[in-house]
Amino acid sequence: MFERIFIDSSYTLASGKNSGIERVVTSILRESAKMGESGKIPAPQLIVSIAGKFYAPSEEQIAAFRRPAAMHANVLSTTPNAYRRLANILCRVTGSEKLRKWILPQAGHLGVFKLPHNFYEAQVRRKIARSNQPVCFEAGDLVLLPDAYWVNRLRDSVWPAAAEARQRGALVATLLYDLIPLTHPEFVGLKRRDTFLNYLKRAASNSDMLLAISDTVREEVAAYLTTIAEADTAYCQDIRSFQLGAELHNRTGNVREEVRDLFDSELPPYLMVATFDPRKNHEFLLDAFEILWESKPELKLCLVGRVGSRCDDVVRRITSHPRLGKSLFLFSDLSDVELHHCYDGARGVIFPSIVEGFGLPIVESLWFGKKTFVSDTPIHREVGASDCCYFSLQHPNFLADEIKRWEGQLSAGTAPTLPTRRPTTWRDSTQQLLDHCFEALADRRPKLRKAA
């Protein structure tokens, strides 16, 4: 057992978004805290990296991140109504989409507010550094790094802090989500590919263990590290995998009327949950529904996810679509409660992504017992096993045909019973992760005694 457990949340604390990585980090923090309260493990301490050191902020200092987090989640909700009215008028007059992105950014983006957001976040971090001593690590400590460390403001802060923790005897374990920027750079661009490669090298050279979120990613990481091996750099050789959890944490709160009406209707929509990003393949899904709407105009499709990068064309296609608000719906700012309601009421869930590290919406859909249509890729086969309907990405007809077949079975009353298995819970996922860490600690103790 570890003497102390530290979990870094340097990015997620100020993010405010509800995307995959943030959900993983918050779920691990929540479940490990419960395990600490029950006495099964030492109570985990949340830490943040600041200027190459780890700090353990107080509850009051953690609460100070709520303001930048709210800005990052939906910055326009934090601005006066007068500003939004004037900005809308200016955008209509100029007709500039670029200007609209800057002064009326979508949820999850900052636009011209990036500077004040970063300034306020930096101010919060400076206060933490001024009023706290850096964590002094010891042998027997665990430092878990589950966050997005390729982000510019973190990549030169977290790794010196991790290196120091290792020098003092702590075990550093880093989560790896995927290698998509390296294996599919066409989706991110060469600059982000190079940034990510630097992140991978620093993670592999400053960690005692790398924890991949699937067997597929674990194998990809192990193979890729051999291709970038450097004579003067020792990369981590202990690469393991664990499964992400699936259940959405229940929270109390309101579900807006338009969401409730849509998913409580007699014919609720099919659902896709994913950030708007080229690799998520929204265009393919829309093409499939264009085919479906020719013979089944009553079918509905709801797209849920924040607007990412390189997706202007598909967002424009959706927002100008003649079926928008009738049989095509878009939500970019749902709360956890509302997302829970969407999954619970959906007619089926579709995930046509081209490449993933895991595919969290797959297991979330199965958690709700929904008919789940998934693109046929190795990682999706690993995650969905025999409980999903797989379709080829060669042509949208393949997905349209599967949905027609399912609709026919529903109409005829011959639809098979949907899978009853429960995917891994976040409690189980966190336990798997910590078990790997405990095993790594047990493996290293004889070596440390021998060295002593």
Side-chain angles (χ1 to χ4, degrees), residues 1-2 5-7 28 31-33 35-36 40-42 44 142 144 171 209 211 240 242 427-441:
M1 181 67 71
F2 289 97
I5 296 176
F6 299 91
I7 303 177
I28 291 173
E31 296 303 326
S32 61
M35 295 165 70
K40 291 186 176 181
I41 62 172
L142 168 64
L144 185 61
L171 186 144
M209 180 168 57
L211 288 160
R240 311 188 189 196
F242 72 106
R427 180 61 177 268
D428 293 337
S429 176
T430 303
Q431 186 66 64
Q432 285 180 25
L433 183 157
L434 291 174
D435 283 346
H436 282 306
C437 296
F438 297 149
E439 290 173 10
L441 176 66

Side-chain angles (χ1 to χ4, degrees), residues 14 16 38 59 62 96 143 200 221 257 289 300 345 355 401 417:
S38 67
E59 290 297 325
I62 291 172
S96 171
V143 179
L200 178 63
V221 170
E257 186 176 353
F289 265 79
K300 301 173 187 173
V355 60
D401 289 344
T417 302

Side-chain angles (χ1 to χ4, degrees), residues 176-239:
L176 295 178
Y177 292 91
D178 58 64
L179 293 185
I180 292 170
L182 302 177
T183 59
H184 295 74
E186 66 272 21
F187 293 131
V188 300
L190 297 181
K191 184 177 180 180
R192 289 189 181 181
R193 179 203 63 184
D194 294 342
T195 296
F196 192 88
L197 177 59
N198 177 264
Y199 148 76
L200 178 63
K201 288 180 176 180
R202 299 186 75 175
S205 58
N206 289 287
S207 303
D208 296 292
M209 180 168 57
L210 299 173
L211 288 160
I213 61 172
S214 66
D215 292 341
T216 302
V217 172
R218 182 197 65 216
E219 293 166 4
E220 287 180 348
V221 170
Y224 196 89
L225 287 178
T226 63
T227 69
I228 60 172
E230 300 173 5
D232 58 343
T233 304
Y235 289 139
C236 177
Q237 299 299 308
D238 191 355
I239 307 171

Side-chain angles (χ1 to χ4, degrees), residues 21-41:
I21 291 175
E22 290 89 347
R23 289 187 359 232
V24 172
V25 174
T26 54
S27 296
I28 291 173
L29 286 168
R30 181 186 69 244
E31 296 303 326
S32 61
K34 290 179 182 177
M35 295 165 70
E37 290 170 0
S38 67
K40 291 186 176 181
I41 62 172

Side-chain angles (χ1 to χ4, degrees), residues 14-243:
S15 168
K17 294 185 290 186
N18 193 27
S19 302
I21 291 175
E22 290 89 347
R23 289 187 359 232
V24 172
V25 174
T26 54
S27 296
I28 291 173
L29 286 168
R30 181 186 69 244
E31 296 303 326
S32 61
K34 290 179 182 177
M35 295 165 70
E37 290 170 0
S38 67
K40 291 186 176 181
I41 62 172
Q45 297 182 57
L46 186 150
I47 56 175
V48 294
S49 66
I50 304 171
K53 302 285 184 180
F54 282 123
Y55 293 85
S58 66
E59 290 297 325
E60 182 180 354
Q61 290 167 341
I62 291 172
F65 281 101
R66 290 174 186 164
R67 180 177 172 185
M71 291 179 68
H72 209 169
N74 188 352
V75 70
L76 291 182
S77 68
T78 67
T79 60
N81 289 333
Y83 169 83
R84 294 195 292 275
R85 286 196 296 269
L86 289 172
N88 268 305
I89 292 172
L90 184 60
C91 290
R92 284 198 301 270
V93 170
T94 62
S96 171
E97 287 299 317
K98 188 173 182 179
L99 179 63
R100 180 174 291 276
K101 280 185 178 182
W102 278 101
I103 66 175
L104 288 172
Q106 295 271 0
H109 295 266
L110 290 167
V112 295
F113 300 96
K114 185 174 183 178
L115 185 60
H117 170 273
N118 290 353
F119 174 80
Y120 187 80
E121 182 186 341
Q123 192 176 42
V124 173
R125 295 183 188 276
R126 282 195 296 270
K127 288 181 180 179
I128 292 173
R130 282 199 303 266
S131 56
N132 295 271
Q133 291 295 319
V135 177
C136 186
F137 296 100
E138 302 172 356
D141 289 343
L142 168 64
V143 179
L144 185 61
L145 306 179
D147 226 328
Y149 304 112
W150 50 88
V151 176
N152 286 345
R153 64 183 182 275
L154 294 181
R155 63 189 184 200
D156 293 326
S157 176
V158 69
W159 301 122
E164 182 177 336
R166 292 182 73 202
Q167 289 170 2
R168 292 180 175 272
L171 186 144
V172 175
T174 302
L175 268 63
L176 295 178
Y177 292 91
D178 58 64
L179 293 185
I180 292 170
L182 302 177
T183 59
H184 295 74
E186 66 272 21
F187 293 131
V188 300
L190 297 181
K191 184 177 180 180
R192 289 189 181 181
R193 179 203 63 184
D194 294 342
T195 296
F196 192 88
L197 177 59
N198 177 264
Y199 148 76
L200 178 63
K201 288 180 176 180
R202 299 186 75 175
S205 58
N206 289 287
S207 303
D208 296 292
M209 180 168 57
L210 299 173
L211 288 160
I213 61 172
S214 66
D215 292 341
T216 302
V217 172
R218 182 197 65 216
E219 293 166 4
E220 287 180 348
V221 170
Y224 196 89
L225 287 178
T226 63
T227 69
I228 60 172
E230 300 173 5
D232 58 343
T233 304
Y235 289 139
C236 177
Q237 299 299 308
D238 191 355
I239 307 171
R240 311 188 189 196
S241 63
F242 72 106
Q243 273 204 316

